[in-house]
Amino acid sequence: MKYPNNIIKSNQKNINYSNRGMSLEFDLNITNDYYRDKNIAVIYKKPTPIRVVNVDFTNIKKPIINKAFFEKASTTDYNGIYKGKYVDFEAKEVKSKKSFCLSNIHKHQLEHLFKVKEHKGISFIIVRFIKFNKTFLLDSEILLKFINKGNKSISIDLFNEYGYQVNEGYRPRVDYIKVIDHIYFGG
Amino acid sequence: MKYPNNIIKSNQKNINYSNRGMSLEFDLNITNDYYRDKNIAVIYKKPTPIRVVNVDFTNIKKPIINKAFFEKASTTDYNGIYKGKYVDFEAKEVKSKKSFCLSNIHKHQLEHLFKVKEHKGISFIIVRFIKFNKTFLLDSEILLKFINKGNKSISIDLFNEYGYQVNEGYRPRVDYIKVIDHIYFGG
């Protein structure tokens, strides 16, 4: 398993915060808050795309949307800036103990990740296997290679071999910037 | 007035497409579509943030949101990547013939633009004076200087002097990348 320096010092010390009923999305949001507070990076989760059909303007200061539908996201959930570079990623939790099924990410989201890479940005997926409480970062170039090989899913063993485990702690909760530093900035 | 080379060749040739009942948001969306189609840049408008209160799951495949509220955006409306750099901006239309009132941009949106600059990204505002059908790009560093001087608004004359007019045409509709090239890449 490839670990960036000090990302995980000891498995025993790796306290399981994400088992406290917290989701990966929640963990990433407070991690991003932390990065912004400390002025490390400016990365946000995008709002969920919603198609508004009807709005009640009776209270003009606080209109109520009373008919709307969820829409498919055309891009990934997270993007922002780190050390001047554009950063873009999608994050997913997996219940399976064995593998991450690629159908969990829409085709246009995958294309978006590869497009970002083409434009010299940093793009990857973050996948958490909740049964093992292990969170991995996998670069989108490696992801593309698996897809081109015909893979329909990526096993936890492949994440172990080709991805990077992301340290989980108190602050920051999921320190993926440490992995970015290691992979893309030689840190 | 500072024009990047060829941005506006002739005022007479500058056909007024935005008067065809099209908004700046619409124009920017199709401009961004064009940039993506031509693989020039990957820039999207973020979805409007909406707080969902109640959802009817009777049709599990197409749940209906029947109570929700609009939320204030914590960041700007547009971001993405161009030539490897992170790009971030807010766009506004102005009805006034004289000036753009800074209260049109929320404080946290301004702070976000300055933060992006601090992290070595490209950030600016795009303002269209609809009465004159003129659209300007103003770098956020210059914007910050005006704010620090105590300006509550920015006159069209200041936009003329310190900003860059964005060419409007058929394809792309509002070619702000040309201005970006000129300002940030010396193009």
Side-chain angles (χ1 to χ4, degrees), chain B residues 10 12 24-25 66 74 80 85 120 132 164 168-169 183-184:
Chain B
S10 150
Q12 276 139 326
L24 177 59
E25 179 181 328
N66 50 30
S74 45
K85 294 278 271 182
K120 314 253 176 268
F132 301 110
Y164 293 85
E168 300 197 11
I183 308 180
Y184 307 101

Side-chain angles (χ1 to χ4, degrees), chain A residues 105-164:
Chain A
I105 307 181
H106 300 308
K107 195 176 165 248
H108 48 267
Q109 291 182 312
L110 289 171
E111 282 164 358
H112 175 74
L113 287 171
F114 307 144
K115 206 96 187 144
V116 166
K117 205 81 187 186
E118 210 183 310
H119 285 264
K120 315 253 176 266
I122 292 169
S123 71
F124 50 85
I125 56 171
I126 291 181
V127 173
R128 177 182 284 171
F129 286 83
I130 52 176
K131 294 271 167 64
F132 299 110
N133 196 44
K134 282 190 176 181
T135 304
F136 296 94
L137 188 155
L138 185 73
D139 179 75
S140 62
E141 235 162 55
I142 299 169
L143 181 62
L144 183 60
K145 279 180 192 164
F146 286 130
I147 291 170
N148 286 342
K149 268 190 197 168
N151 284 42
K152 300 283 178 221
S153 64
I154 299 173
S155 69
I156 192 164
D157 291 341
L158 286 177
F159 275 103
N160 264 323
E161 193 173 350
Y162 295 98
Y164 292 85

Side-chain angles (χ1 to χ4, degrees), chain A residues 46 74-76 79 86-88 108-109 111-121 123, chain B residues 28 31-45 78-89 176-177 180:
Chain A
K46 287 184 203 166
S74 46
T75 65
T76 48
N79 76 353
Y86 177 82
V87 173
D88 198 299
H108 48 267
Q109 291 182 312
E111 282 164 358
H112 175 74
L113 287 171
F114 307 144
K115 206 96 187 144
V116 166
K117 205 81 187 186
E118 210 183 310
H119 285 264
K120 315 253 176 266
S123 71
Chain B
L28 284 169
T31 300
N32 288 337
D33 288 349
Y34 173 86
Y35 289 149
R36 288 196 305 274
D37 283 353
K38 298 282 174 189
N39 215 13
I40 294 165
V42 184
I43 294 164
Y44 281 92
K45 182 179 186 294
Y78 301 87
N79 76 354
I81 183 169
Y82 176 59
K83 290 184 177 171
K85 294 278 271 182
Y86 177 82
V87 173
D88 198 299
F89 63 98
Y176 67 88
I177 284 285
I180 290 181

Side-chain angles (χ1 to χ4, degrees), chain B residues 12 19 24 26 44-45 53 117 119 126 151 171 173 175 182-183:
Chain B
Q12 276 139 326
N19 259 357
L24 177 59
F26 180 87
Y44 281 92
K45 182 179 186 294
V53 177
K117 205 82 188 185
H119 285 265
I126 290 181
N151 284 43
R171 291 195 83 190
R173 192 72 67 107
D175 196 4
H182 179 73
I183 308 180

Side-chain angles (χ1 to χ4, degrees), chain B residues 29-171:
Chain B
N29 286 346
I30 58 167
T31 300
N32 288 337
D33 288 349
Y34 173 86
Y35 289 149
R36 288 196 305 274
D37 283 353
K38 298 282 174 189
N39 215 13
I40 294 165
V42 184
I43 294 164
Y44 281 92
K45 182 179 186 294
K46 287 184 201 166
T48 307
I50 286 171
R51 186 166 54 85
V52 174
V53 177
N54 203 51
V55 184
D56 175 359
F57 285 102
T58 311
N59 182 347
I60 195 73
K61 282 190 182 168
K62 202 181 179 183
I64 304 171
I65 300 160
N66 50 30
K67 194 175 183 186
F69 295 97
F70 293 105
E71 285 195 305
K72 268 191 189 173
S74 45
T75 65
T76 48
D77 271 356
Y78 301 87
N79 76 354
I81 183 169
Y82 176 59
K83 290 184 177 171
K85 294 278 271 182
Y86 177 82
V87 173
D88 198 299
F89 63 98
E90 186 63 26
K92 295 285 178 195
E93 285 184 332
V94 194
K95 282 181 188 168
S96 161
K97 283 184 178 179
K98 287 184 181 166
S99 66
F100 171 66
C101 186
L102 285 168
S103 65
N104 280 306
I105 306 181
H106 300 308
K107 195 175 164 248
H108 48 266
Q109 291 182 310
L110 290 171
E111 284 166 356
H112 175 73
L113 287 171
F114 307 144
K115 207 97 187 143
V116 166
K117 205 82 188 185
E118 212 184 309
H119 285 265
K120 314 253 176 268
I122 292 170
S123 71
F124 50 84
I125 56 170
I126 290 181
V127 173
R128 176 183 284 171
F129 286 84
I130 52 175
K131 295 270 167 65
F132 301 110
N133 196 43
K134 282 189 175 180
T135 304
F136 296 95
L137 187 155
L138 185 73
D139 179 76
S140 63
E141 235 161 56
I142 299 170
L143 181 64
L144 183 59
K145 278 181 191 163
F146 286 130
I147 292 169
N148 286 342
K149 269 190 197 169
N151 284 43
K152 298 285 179 220
S153 63
I154 298 172
S155 69
I156 191 163
D157 292 341
L158 286 177
F159 275 103
N160 264 322
E161 194 173 348
Y162 294 98
Y164 293 85
Q165 199 176 330
V166 184
N167 198 12
E168 300 197 11
Y170 176 58
R171 291 195 83 190

